[in-house]
Amino acid sequence: MARRLDGKCLGNPDWREHPPFTEKTRDELLTYVTSWKPTERVQKAFGQKPLRLLVLGPSGHGKSSFVSSIKSCVGRELGQGAVVGAGMAQVSRQYNEHTLIHNNEDLPFVLCDSRGLHEEGEGAGIDGIMKILTGTIQQGEIMPTQKDTVIEQVMQYHATDLPLGIIFVVNATKSDNLGGIFSFREYLEKVLEALNDMDIPRCVVMTHVDCVIESDLKTAFSNQRLEHAVRSAGNLFHVPKHLSSL
C-alpha cells in the first residue's frame, strides 16, 4: 500500500518493490547494460544486427534528452547527442539511430529517435512508424506526419525480420493530462493498434520525476502522486505498471 496522507504507514509503504539505489547499485546496473550480449537464439535469428530500441513519446516530453542522457551515461562523458528545443522546435523531424559506445566499443543495441507523437497533425504518422519497424527508413530521413501521404508501399512487418524494442518516454507531470485530451488519445490508440499485432517488447520511461515528488528522490516508490502518474502512463500506453520505469 502507498503511504497515508498523514505520513503513517500501513504495512509496506512502497507501491513497488525496488533495490536500494547506491553507487554500488549504479555501477552494477551499468556493468549489466554494457556487458549484455544477445542470446545464441537471437544471434542465430538476427546474425550480427544490433538490437534497435525505438524511442517514442509525445513531443516535448524529453525523448531526445533521454537519448542524450543514455549516451552520456554509457559513454561516461557529457555530450548532446540529440538536438532538443522549445515550442514547435521540440518536434524532432528526422529519424536517427544513435550508436552506444562504451570503452571505445559499440554496444549491441542502438537507440532510434524519431518524430514525436503529437495530436495536432505534426506528430509521427502511422506510415512513418511502420517504415521504422520494417527497416525501410534511412538515417536522417524526414519522417512523414499524420497529414502526409506516403506514396511508396510499406513492407509488412514480420517478427523475425528485425530485433526490436519500444521505449515510450512521457513527462511524469503530464501523463494524467494526456489521457484527458481526446484528440491525442484517439491518435495514440491508432498508433498502439498498429503495434498490437507485433510481438515487440515495450516499456514506459518517465521523465521529470523530481517535479512530481518535490522532495528526496529516495521517496519515489512511496509517493502517491508518482504512483498515480505511473498508473496513468501505463493505462495510456497499454503497459503494465511493473514495466513503467522511472
Side-chain angles (χ1 to χ4, degrees):
M1 298 293 291
R3 188 184 301 275
R4 287 182 173 179
L5 293 179
D6 59 6
K8 296 180 181 179
C9 299
L10 179 62
N12 184 355
D14 294 342
W15 52 266
R16 173 175 167 177
E17 294 183 2
H18 62 96
F21 193 83
T22 63
E23 289 188 8
K24 180 181 178 182
T25 307
R26 179 199 61 193
D27 292 340
E28 288 176 348
L29 290 173
L30 184 59
T31 298
Y32 173 77
V33 170
T34 55
S35 63
W36 179 84
K37 301 293 183 184
T39 64
E40 291 185 6
R41 182 179 66 83
V42 171
Q43 292 187 50
K44 184 177 181 180
F46 303 115
Q48 298 301 313
K49 295 178 181 177
L51 177 66
R52 296 162 66 243
L53 300 176
L54 173 58
V55 183
L56 286 176
S59 301
H61 279 230
K63 180 168 51 67
S64 296
S65 296
F66 168 74
V67 172
S68 296
S69 296
I70 295 298
K71 293 185 67 176
S72 297
C73 181
V74 171
R76 293 185 179 273
E77 62 180 26
L78 295 177
Q80 183 172 321
V83 177
V84 297
M88 284 308 295
Q90 291 175 320
V91 181
S92 301
R93 295 176 174 83
Q94 296 178 325
Y95 169 74
N96 289 297
E97 292 188 358
H98 299 271
T99 301
L100 299 177
I101 302 174
H102 182 73
N103 290 339
N104 297 319
E105 292 186 4
D106 293 354
L107 297 182
F109 47 87
V110 296
L111 294 177
C112 305
D113 192 13
S114 63
R115 185 184 288 270
L117 305 177
H118 200 274
E119 76 274 13
E120 296 179 0
E122 294 297 329
I126 304 298
D127 289 332
I129 294 175
M130 288 301 296
K131 289 185 71 174
I132 295 176
L133 298 180
T134 56
T136 56
I137 191 169
Q138 301 296 317
Q139 172 82 357
E141 184 176 338
I142 301 297
M143 281 191 64
T145 67
Q146 302 170 66
K147 59 186 180 183
D148 293 332
T149 300
V150 178
I151 303 301
E152 68 269 25
Q153 182 177 1
V154 177
M155 296 168 53
Q156 291 297 313
Y157 171 83
H158 300 286
T160 56
D161 284 346
L162 295 166
L164 285 166
I166 295 179
I167 302 173
F168 291 109
V169 176
V170 61
N171 186 326
T173 67
K174 300 178 180 179
S175 61
D176 196 28
N177 293 336
L178 282 175
I181 302 175
F182 177 77
S183 57
F184 179 81
R185 196 170 68 247
E186 185 179 42
Y187 158 59
L188 181 61
E189 287 296 327
K190 293 179 181 179
V191 173
L192 295 175
E193 184 178 353
L195 301 176
N196 281 342
D197 294 333
M198 304 177 184
D199 187 19
I200 303 176
R202 62 193 74 174
C203 70
V204 175
V205 170
M206 306 195 75
T207 60
H208 300 281
V209 171
D210 56 326
C211 296
V212 175
I213 297 175
E214 297 180 347
S215 61
D216 189 347
L217 286 175
K218 293 180 180 178
T219 66
F221 294 103
S222 60
N223 186 287
Q224 287 184 321
R225 290 178 60 199
L226 186 56
E227 179 186 14
H228 179 74
V230 169
R231 289 186 183 276
S232 296
N235 292 335
L236 187 65
F237 292 98
H238 299 182
V239 174
K241 185 178 72 173
H242 68 280
L243 291 181
S244 299
S245 305
L246 304 177

